[in-house]
Amino acid sequence: MSGQPPSAVRPVQPAPGYSQFHSMLKRRLSKGASTVIRPFALNLRPKLESTDERFLLLRWLYTDRVNHEIKERELSREVTTHSAEETVAFGRTLAELLAPPKLVLLRGDLGAGKTTLVKGIAAAFAAADEEDVTSPTFTLVHEYRGPRATLYHIDLYRIDTPRELDTLALDDLRSDNSILLIEWGEKFPRFVHERDVEISLEREVENGRRIRVSG
Ligand code: ADP
Ligand code: MG
């Protein structure tokens, strides 16, 4: 028996090379995307049936062709960023997950990085340049039109009553190609019920931000 691996660690079949796996991913992507990017792969993961396929996907995710900071935890869409730039970059990876129509709640204290994350999301949808995305704290609603979606970045920090909320007529913004990204939306229970995706940001030490995405 010596020299035999325990059965629980059955060796995984030799993986085909990157290009082979790349074309396999491409074949599997219904939209026939020409560039396989990580969000596609993350979407694809639940559709992969066999252990080998999942292994290959993981291996692909870990190659140096993608951000070396990707860690196992991020596969469940949880990540810690260490700068505003990293949060913007993470926001960019969320585009596939946020295909319209969506109502997204952004939760977190003041300065947690909600608006920073929207910079990445808006950029990924080619709806705005990062630097043009600013806080709608006083303006309440910012609109960014992209080719695939219209983003509405909304900040309800200063809105306290359902009546004030009604004046914003947010329901009128909802359509097949709209994405509502709402900061402080959890102040109103209806948004907690209606939201498709929730992204929470928590300040850790200094510039560290724990970001969790749940659907
Ligand atoms: P919120 O919209 O949640 O109130 P903002 O995105 O407007 O927060 O501001 C976050 C602030 O924290 C910015 O000044 C940004 O530069 C800073 N910051 C530092 N580290 C990070 C990080 N890891 N992610 C996001 N923002 C960070
Ligand atoms: Mg903000």
Side-chain angles (χ1 to χ4, degrees):
M1 291 300 280
S2 67
Q4 287 280 27
S7 56
V9 285
R10 176 180 71 85
V12 185
Q13 282 189 359
Y18 174 81
S19 62
Q20 195 177 342
F21 183 51
H22 188 271
S23 28
M24 184 188 88
L25 278 175
K26 267 178 40 173
R27 277 202 306 278
R28 289 222 166 209
L29 293 171
S30 52
K31 290 176 193 154
S34 58
T35 317
V36 178
I37 52 170
R38 205 169 57 79
F40 276 114
L42 290 173
N43 266 350
L44 182 73
R45 187 166 171 251
K47 295 178 197 144
L48 300 179
E49 287 106 32
S50 77
T51 312
D52 285 350
E53 283 176 328
R54 279 168 183 258
F55 168 77
L56 286 170
L57 180 60
L58 279 173
R59 204 185 76 131
W60 182 74
L61 285 168
Y62 278 103
T63 60
D64 57 5
R65 286 167 190 268
V66 292
N67 187 334
H68 68 277
E69 286 191 12
I70 294 164
K71 300 184 182 74
E72 175 76 44
R73 290 193 313 150
E74 198 176 340
L75 299 175
S76 58
R77 300 198 175 95
E78 180 178 325
V79 70
T80 298
T81 61
H82 304 281
S83 65
E85 291 70 30
E86 279 188 28
T87 297
V88 173
F90 182 66
R92 283 176 177 270
T93 73
L94 297 176
E96 277 308 307
L97 182 74
L98 301 182
K102 286 281 183 304
L103 193 156
V104 183
L105 285 194
L106 299 163
R107 301 182 74 144
D109 293 339
L110 280 176
K114 303 180 291 297
T115 295
T116 304
L117 190 74
V118 173
K119 287 173 181 279
I121 296 170
F125 278 98
D129 290 336
E130 285 169 26
E131 57 273 20
D132 293 334
V133 174
T134 55
S135 177
T137 305
F138 296 99
T139 38
L140 306 179
V141 181
H142 287 173
E143 178 178 332
Y144 304 107
R145 281 176 191 267
R148 287 188 295 139
T150 299
L151 276 57
Y152 295 98
H153 182 198
I154 298 153
D155 191 338
L156 301 182
Y157 185 71
R158 293 160 59 83
I159 300 295
D160 290 317
T161 66
R163 202 167 161 169
E164 287 173 319
L165 182 66
D166 284 347
T167 64
L168 296 181
L170 297 186
D171 287 330
D172 295 351
L173 305 181
R174 299 188 70 176
S175 73
D176 285 348
N177 79 336
S178 78
I179 302 170
L180 273 60
L181 302 155
I182 310 182
E183 300 189 25
W184 301 101
E186 72 278 11
K187 286 164 77 174
F188 300 94
R190 57 165 282 206
F191 291 130
V192 177
H193 292 123
E194 289 173 23
R195 105 281 190 281
D196 301 298
V197 176
E198 183 169 303
I199 306 176
S200 65
L201 299 95
E202 249 176 88
R203 191 192 292 259
E204 294 191 323
V205 286
E206 286 280 335
N207 295 334
R209 301 290 193 276
R210 167 82 59 89
I211 306 174
R212 289 192 192 86
V213 184
S214 49

